[in-house]
Amino acid sequence: MDKTVFKNILQFLIILIFNSFLAQNSPKKVIKATVINDTISKKDTIVAPKESLQAVVDYKADDIRRDVPKRMIYLNKNAQVKYQDMQIDADYISIDEERSLIFARGKLDSLGKVFELAQVDQGGKKYEVESFNYNTKTREAIAYNARTEESEGLIVAPKTKKYNDSVFVMRHAEFTTDPYYIDKKDTRPDYHLLASYIKMQKGKNSSSLIVGPAQMYIEDVPTPLILPFAILPFSSKRAAGILIPSFGEREDVGFFLNGIGYYQPIGEHFDLKVLADIYTKGSWTIRPEMNYLKKYRYSGNFSADIGSTVRGIKGLDNYSKTGTYRIAWRHTQDTKANPFLTFSASVDVTSQTFYNNTVNNNYIMDQSVLRTQQNSTVTLTKRFLKLPATITGTASYSQNFATGLADLRLPQMNVAINQFYLFKSKTGVRSGLLENITVNTGLNLSNFVSTAEGELFTDAMWDKLQTGLKNNIALGTNTTFAKYFTFSLGATVDNALTTKTLTKYYDPIQNIEVDQINKQIAGYSIFSTTASVQTQLYGQANFKKGSTIQAIRHMMTPSIGFTYSPDFGGEQFGYFKNFYNANGALTPYSIFDKGIVGSPTTGMVGALNYNIGNNIEMKVKSKSDSTGVKKMKIFESLNVSGNYNFAAKSHPFSIISVSGQSSFFDNKLSVNTSLAIEPYKILFAPGSDTGIRTEDFGSFSVQGFNVQLSYPLSSELFGEKKDYAKTYSQKGEIRNENYFFDDDNYAHFDQAWTLNVNANYQYSRNLTRTATKMASIGLDGSLKLTPYWNINGSTHYDMVSKELAYTRIGFSRDQRSFTINFNWVPFGQYKVYDFFIGIKANILSDALKYKDRSFTQPNAPF
C-alpha cells in the first residue's frame, strides 16, 4: 500500500475517534410556563410565552445606537454587557434580540487587526478573545483567538466552541504554563503543546483537559515528544489517570517505554500507582507502588520492582536472561501520635543480582550498583509512664551481594533499664563515691542465622538458627579530690546464654579442621573493674609585644587508670577446650566461638592504661578582627593512648595509638590523622611474608597510618565580592535576575562556583613484610556559566593504580517553565547518559517528560 494512502487513512481514523470522543449533544431546552394571576377572577390563568432573554440585559457604552425595526442594539467604545452570570467588556458589542445573539469584538488598529482583546467574565472565570458570539437561548458560544487561563496553565486557540457552561472544545490549540507569557511579559511562550483537539470539562469543584495528539515545542521549535493523548486534572483533589511514559534507546536492551502506567487514588488515605517498562529486546519490569498517609499518625509506602532483563541475541553466546525483583517498605510514625509506642520500618529486599542487572539508570547515577550490602529493619519500641524501662523489638535482614549470604535476626528484643542511682542523697546534692554510684543494666534476646538466599525459611535455615541471651550490668561512680583531680571507679558484669556450642577437631582423612556445631545450652559470666584519675593542665607562652605571634596556649588532659579482669580461660570455668591441629600442636579454642553471644576473655588482665589529650592554639595579629588578634587552632585534639599489662607473660606493652584532628584557613581545611606504632621489633623468617613480634622492646615501627583532608573551595574565598552597581552604569533585568552592562553592552553577573577537594591516604602493614597503600583524591563541584546554566560533576583519581574511578558530569538549564538536565558517567563498568526535560508546573510535572537512556552493558563501547 502506498505510504501516502496509509497516512491519510490513519489520519482519518484518528479524526473519527476524537470527533466521537469530543462530540456533545446540545442540552435540551426546557420551557417553563409563567402563571399570571388575574385580578378579576382567580380561576382564570393566562400562559405567557417564554421570552427570548431569560434575564434582564444590562448594558452601557460611550456610544449606544438602537435599530428598533431590526431589534438590534449597537454599543461602541468602552462597551459593557451584563447578562445573568456573564459580563462582557469590549470595544464593540452588538445585541440581536430577534435571534438571541450577542457579538463582541476587541479594539482594532489602523490595519483592522485586533490589538486589544475583549474581556469575558462568566461565573468568576475570565477569558480574553478577539471576537465572541454568544447565544442566550442555547448558552452556546464561539470564540476566536481566545486566551483561557485554567489553574497554572493557559490555552490559546484559534477557535473555541462552548457547548454549555461546563464543556469547551478547541482545535489547533496551544497549551503552556509559562508564567511570563501568561502575564503578557513576553509575546511567545518558552514552550507549548500544540494539540489537534482540546476538550475542557468544568465541574463545580474541579475541571480537566482532555488533550488529543499533541507535540511539544520549545521556543517554537518542534521536539520529538509527541503525546497521543493526555488527561490533565485541575483540582485540589486527587484524580485517577494514565501516566505518560518516557522513551528512548539503550544498546543492550533496545528501544523502550519507561514508566507507562496508571494512577488511582483509593479513599482518603491511600493511592496506587502501577508502572511498566517495556523493551524491544524482551526486557520488562512491573513497578507497583502504594502510598498511604494519615495525618498526625503515620505515613509510608510499599513498592516492588519485578522483571526480566534480556541482553544479546537468542542463540548467540552473548545472550542472557536474568529475573530480578525488589520489594521495599517504608513506614514512619508521627512522633506525637503515641510517645509510649512507636513503630518504624525500612525494608529493602532484592535478588542477589538486582543491581547488576537493573534497567533503571537512576541506580547507576546514585552509585547503588556499587553496593555490596543492603540492610532492612523493622522496629517496635515500648516506653512506660511509670516504669523506668524501654522495650525494643527488632527484626533485621542483611544481604551481602559479594558472598551471597544473608543474615537474619528474627526476632531480637532489648530491655533497657534507665540509669539510676544506687543510694539516695542525704543533702540533695550528690557528693562522694557512694552517693554517685550509678547502675546501668539491660537484657538482650537475639535469634540469628547466616544462610544462603535459597535456604531462607527452609529446614536448613531453622537448623542453623542460634538463640542467645545477654545481660550486662555496669556500675560507676566518681568524685573530685584535691580540687583539680577526678577519680572514677567502674565495674561491669556480662552474662550470656546460648543454644549452640562449638567442638573443633582435626579430620586426618579429609585433612581439614572441622567445626562441629552442637545443639547444647551453655552460658558464661565474666566481669572486669576499672579505676582512673584525670585532670587538666594548662600552659601558655607569651611573646614580646608587637610580634606576629602573640601567644601559644597548650591544654593537656592526662588520664591514667587500671583495669583488672581474671583469666576465664582456665579449666575450672569450662569455657575453653583444646584440640590437636594438622601440625599436631595443641590449640585452644572457645566453645562459644562462632556464636552470637561472643566469647569470654582469656588471660588475666592487670593493665595500666594511659591517655594524653592535647589541645594547642595560638593568637596572631589580625587586621580583619576588631580585637586586633585572631585565634588559630594548631591541634583541636591530639591524643596518645596505650596500656601496660602487668599480668601478661609476654608483650606487656600494647600498640601505641595516636590520633589528631585540626582545621586551618578559617576552619576550611579539615585534617584527620591516625597512627599505630608497634613498640616491639618484628622479625621475618626466610621466605615468610608474616612477621613475629619479639620481646625486643624499643624498636618502634609504624604499622598503620591514615590521613584525610577536605577543603571546600568557592568563588567567595578569592577576593572581595564585586560591587557591580558601582562598576557598571547600565542595569537590566531578565526573569527577575539583575544584569549589569559595560560600555560595549556586554552583560556581567556573579558567576558562583564551588569545588570540594577530598584526599585520602592509608598505609597498613599489620606484621606483614609488604605494606598495603591506598591513595585517592576526589573532586566535587559546580559552576554557573550563566544565572540559568549550571555545570556540576564529581570524580575520583586513584593515585596507586593511576586510574580514574567513578566520574559523573552533569549539565542543567533552568528555563522559565521547565528544566533540562543531562548526566553522563563516561568511565567505569557502567557507562550511561541520561537526558531529562521536566515541566515545573505541578499539573505537568509527571505527565510531560522526555528521557533518553543509554546502555549500561559492562565494557561496551560508548
Side-chain angles (χ1 to χ4, degrees):
M1 183 184 292
D2 186 78
K3 291 184 177 180
T4 304
V5 175
F6 178 78
K7 182 179 180 181
N8 292 337
I9 292 173
L10 181 61
Q11 291 179 343
F12 179 73
L13 290 175
I14 292 174
I15 291 172
L16 286 178
I17 292 171
F18 275 93
N19 279 343
S20 61
F21 182 72
L22 298 175
Q24 298 287 328
N25 293 326
S26 299
K28 296 181 180 180
K29 295 178 288 185
V30 179
I31 300 177
K32 298 181 180 180
T34 302
V35 180
I36 303 176
N37 293 330
D38 192 280
T39 58
I40 300 174
S41 175
K42 294 183 179 181
K43 296 181 181 180
D44 294 335
T45 59
I46 301 175
V47 180
K50 184 180 177 182
E51 297 288 342
S52 59
L53 295 177
Q54 297 191 18
V56 178
V57 178
D58 186 12
Y59 55 86
K60 64 179 180 179
D62 294 346
D63 180 17
I64 301 176
R65 184 170 62 89
R66 185 179 184 93
D67 189 336
V68 177
K70 294 182 179 181
R71 299 186 64 188
M72 293 289 295
I73 302 174
Y74 303 97
L75 310 176
N76 285 286
K77 293 183 181 180
N78 297 320
Q80 184 183 86
V81 170
K82 292 182 179 180
Y83 176 71
Q84 293 183 338
D85 63 342
M86 179 183 293
Q87 177 178 315
I88 304 173
D89 293 275
D91 183 63
Y92 171 78
I93 299 176
S94 65
I95 304 173
D96 189 337
E97 295 179 322
E98 184 174 352
R99 295 191 296 170
S100 303
L101 293 177
I102 299 176
F103 172 78
R105 172 179 49 77
K107 187 178 293 186
L108 302 176
D109 59 13
S110 59
L111 299 177
K113 293 183 178 180
V114 176
F115 71 94
E116 183 178 316
L117 301 178
Q119 308 290 324
V120 180
D121 187 333
Q122 183 176 22
K125 194 67 180 178
K126 295 181 179 180
Y127 310 91
E128 294 182 308
V129 297
E130 284 190 1
S131 59
F132 178 74
N133 283 302
Y134 179 71
N135 191 307
T136 58
K137 282 185 177 181
T138 63
R139 299 183 66 87
E140 294 181 356
I142 296 178
Y144 298 91
N145 293 323
R147 289 171 58 98
T148 305
E149 291 187 38
E150 191 67 39
S151 186
E152 300 175 74
L154 173 70
I155 308 171
V156 179
K159 186 177 180 179
T160 302
K161 185 171 183 180
K162 173 178 172 292
Y163 284 96
N164 51 50
D165 291 342
S166 60
V167 178
F168 297 76
V169 176
M170 309 158 197
R171 294 196 60 184
H172 304 296
E174 295 181 356
F175 178 81
T176 184
T177 57
D178 182 2
Y180 270 61
Y181 183 62
I182 295 175
D183 296 339
K184 299 181 181 179
K185 295 179 180 179
D186 203 344
T187 56
R188 289 298 297 160
D190 58 354
Y191 91 96
H192 68 270
L193 292 175
L194 180 60
S196 300
Y197 297 92
I198 292 182
K199 179 182 180 182
M200 183 167 66
Q201 290 183 318
K202 303 184 65 175
K204 185 177 182 181
N205 299 318
S206 64
S207 59
S208 63
L209 290 183
I210 302 172
V211 181
Q215 184 175 11
M216 185 176 184
Y217 284 70
I218 297 178
E219 300 293 353
D220 288 332
V221 176
T223 69
L225 178 58
I226 299 177
L227 301 176
F229 65 91
I231 300 175
L232 309 177
F234 298 91
S235 174
S236 58
K237 296 183 179 180
R238 299 170 298 159
I242 295 176
L243 300 175
I244 305 301
S246 60
F247 58 91
E249 179 187 9
R250 249 177 54 177
E251 186 175 21
D252 60 335
V253 292
F255 293 94
F256 62 79
L257 287 176
N258 268 5
I260 186 171
Y262 189 79
Y263 172 81
Q264 176 65 57
I266 305 173
E268 183 181 355
H269 305 291
F270 295 87
D271 63 15
L272 175 65
K273 181 168 37 176
V274 180
L275 301 173
D277 306 326
I278 305 171
Y279 304 84
T280 56
K281 290 187 178 181
S283 299
W284 58 270
T285 59
I286 296 177
R287 296 184 282 119
E289 180 178 344
M290 174 176 284
N291 298 285
Y292 58 89
L293 170 65
K294 191 168 185 179
K295 288 186 177 181
Y296 314 114
R297 296 294 299 276
Y298 53 80
S299 64
N301 74 297
F302 293 93
S303 62
D305 192 322
I306 304 171
S308 175
T309 302
V310 178
R311 291 190 176 98
I313 301 174
K314 194 171 185 178
L316 299 181
D317 294 337
N318 65 345
Y319 177 79
S320 65
K321 184 177 181 180
T322 307
T324 61
Y325 69 85
R326 175 177 179 265
I327 300 173
W329 175 34
R330 300 289 184 272
H331 180 89
T332 304
Q333 180 177 314
D334 194 304
T335 55
K336 298 178 182 179
N338 189 343
F340 299 104
L341 183 64
T342 58
F343 177 78
S344 64
S346 177
V347 178
D348 205 331
V349 181
T350 69
S351 56
Q352 289 288 336
T353 60
F354 176 81
Y355 290 110
N356 292 332
N357 293 276
T358 179
V359 290
N360 189 339
N361 290 343
N362 291 329
Y363 293 126
I364 299 173
M365 295 300 175
D366 63 13
Q367 303 186 55
S368 293
V369 290
L370 304 179
R371 289 185 184 180
T372 59
Q373 188 166 320
Q374 187 158 273
N375 302 315
S376 300
T377 305
V378 177
T379 304
L380 178 66
T381 303
K382 174 63 178 176
R383 301 175 183 88
F384 301 91
L385 182 61
K386 297 182 179 181
L387 294 178
T390 301
I391 302 176
T392 303
T394 305
S396 64
Y397 179 74
S398 177
Q399 295 177 265
N400 191 312
F401 301 132
T403 62
L405 296 178
D407 295 343
L408 180 65
R409 294 183 182 272
L410 179 71
Q412 184 172 350
M413 184 181 70
N414 178 267
V415 181
I417 306 299
N418 300 344
Q419 177 180 289
F420 62 92
Y421 288 92
L422 193 60
F423 299 101
K424 293 183 178 181
S425 173
K426 297 178 180 179
T427 62
V429 178
R430 296 188 178 277
S431 62
L433 292 174
L434 288 177
E435 290 185 358
N436 282 301
I437 294 178
T438 59
V439 180
N440 289 276
T441 185
L443 189 69
N444 184 275
L445 172 67
S446 180
N447 293 273
F448 171 79
V449 65
S450 181
T451 185
E453 181 183 5
E455 294 180 350
L456 282 174
F457 302 107
T458 62
D459 293 340
M461 188 203 80
W462 297 118
D463 188 62
K464 295 179 182 178
L465 184 69
Q466 298 185 45
T467 300
L469 182 66
K470 290 194 73 174
N471 166 247
N472 174 268
I473 304 174
L475 292 88
T477 184
N478 64 82
T479 187
T480 302
F481 70 96
K483 193 176 180 179
Y484 299 107
F485 295 89
T486 301
F487 177 66
S488 301
L489 281 174
T492 60
V493 179
D494 288 326
N495 303 291
L497 193 68
T498 183
T499 58
K500 299 287 178 69
T501 60
L502 175 69
T503 299
K504 292 180 69 74
Y505 64 91
Y506 172 68
D507 187 345
I509 298 177
Q510 301 185 31
N511 192 27
I512 59 172
E513 295 180 359
V514 179
D515 293 337
Q516 177 181 309
I517 304 299
N518 309 307
K519 294 182 179 180
Q520 178 185 2
I521 297 176
Y524 66 84
S525 296
I526 59 175
F527 73 92
S528 64
T529 60
T530 61
S532 64
V533 177
Q534 179 180 312
T535 189
Q536 286 186 340
L537 303 174
Y538 295 89
Q540 183 167 317
N542 297 315
F543 296 86
K544 63 181 181 179
K545 195 174 182 178
S547 61
T548 303
I549 300 177
Q550 298 288 305
I552 295 179
R553 192 192 75 158
H554 179 201
M555 183 183 73
M556 181 184 294
T557 308
S559 174
I560 188 168
F562 185 80
T563 300
Y564 170 76
S565 177
D567 181 11
F568 293 100
E571 293 183 0
Q572 67 273 23
F573 293 103
Y575 301 155
F576 287 85
K577 293 184 179 181
N578 299 314
F579 81 103
Y580 290 96
N581 63 15
N583 298 323
L586 192 63
T587 305
Y589 73 94
S590 172
I591 63 173
F592 299 100
D593 286 344
K594 298 189 176 182
I596 63 172
V597 294
S599 299
T601 58
T602 179
M604 180 182 292
V605 176
L608 183 68
N609 310 306
Y610 63 88
N611 182 82
I612 303 173
N614 299 272
N615 176 275
I616 303 175
E617 297 178 345
M618 70 178 178
K619 290 182 179 181
V620 297
K621 293 176 64 176
S622 176
K623 295 181 180 180
S624 60
D625 197 286
S626 59
T627 61
V629 294
K630 180 174 65 173
K631 288 184 179 180
M632 293 183 61
K633 296 179 180 179
I634 300 177
F635 282 104
E636 292 182 27
S637 65
L638 179 63
N639 298 320
V640 182
S641 62
N643 67 75
Y644 181 86
N645 189 0
F646 292 98
K649 296 180 181 179
S650 62
H651 307 108
F653 283 98
S654 69
I655 289 178
I656 303 171
S657 299
V658 182
S659 63
Q661 179 182 356
S662 190
S663 58
F664 306 96
F665 305 110
D666 295 330
N667 298 325
K668 296 296 183 182
L669 175 61
S670 176
V671 182
N672 292 277
T673 60
S674 63
L675 179 67
I677 301 175
E678 171 61 66
Y680 295 99
K681 186 176 181 178
I682 300 174
L683 291 180
F684 293 90
S688 175
D689 291 331
T690 304
I692 301 174
R693 297 178 74 191
T694 67
E695 294 295 331
D696 187 2
F697 179 80
S699 180
F700 298 98
S701 61
V702 176
Q703 292 298 301
F705 176 70
N706 179 39
V707 58
Q708 295 178 340
L709 296 94
S710 176
Y711 196 100
L713 300 173
S714 66
S715 55
E716 297 179 357
L717 296 178
F718 295 86
E720 297 181 358
K721 193 172 183 179
K722 195 170 184 180
D723 191 345
Y724 290 95
K726 294 181 179 180
T727 307
Y728 306 105
S729 58
Q730 302 181 64
K731 179 181 177 181
E733 182 180 309
I734 302 177
R735 292 177 56 197
N736 299 322
E737 283 284 343
N738 292 325
Y739 290 81
F740 297 88
F741 299 90
D742 56 23
D743 296 335
D744 297 323
N745 290 324
Y746 284 99
H748 297 265
F749 51 89
D750 185 17
Q751 289 184 287
W753 59 271
T754 61
L755 180 64
N756 299 318
V757 183
N758 300 283
N760 183 33
Y761 176 78
Q762 292 183 3
Y763 174 93
S764 178
R765 194 166 183 180
N766 295 331
L767 301 180
T768 57
R769 187 185 297 273
T770 304
T772 301
K773 299 178 182 179
M774 295 178 61
S776 65
I777 184 170
L779 301 176
D780 182 1
S782 64
L783 169 65
K784 295 187 73 173
L785 294 177
T786 72
Y788 299 101
W789 270 109
N790 185 65
I791 299 177
N792 60 82
S794 62
T795 186
H796 290 82
Y797 179 73
D798 191 328
M799 291 183 287
V800 177
S801 63
K802 297 182 180 180
E803 294 181 352
L804 279 173
Y806 178 82
T807 300
R808 182 188 63 83
I809 303 172
F811 301 90
S812 63
R813 169 66 180 175
D814 183 7
Q815 292 291 109
R816 291 197 303 244
S817 308
F818 61 92
T819 57
I820 302 174
N821 292 289
F822 176 80
N823 287 286
W824 178 31
V825 178
F827 307 110
Q829 180 182 7
Y830 297 95
K831 302 174 183 178
V832 59
Y833 69 88
D834 183 288
F835 182 70
F836 172 79
I837 295 178
I839 306 301
K840 292 181 181 178
N842 293 330
I843 58 174
L844 296 179
S845 58
D846 292 328
L848 299 179
K849 56 187 175 182
Y850 170 76
K851 289 185 179 180
D852 188 7
R853 306 289 192 179
S854 79
F855 50 90
T856 58
Q857 185 175 355
N859 304 320
F862 188 79

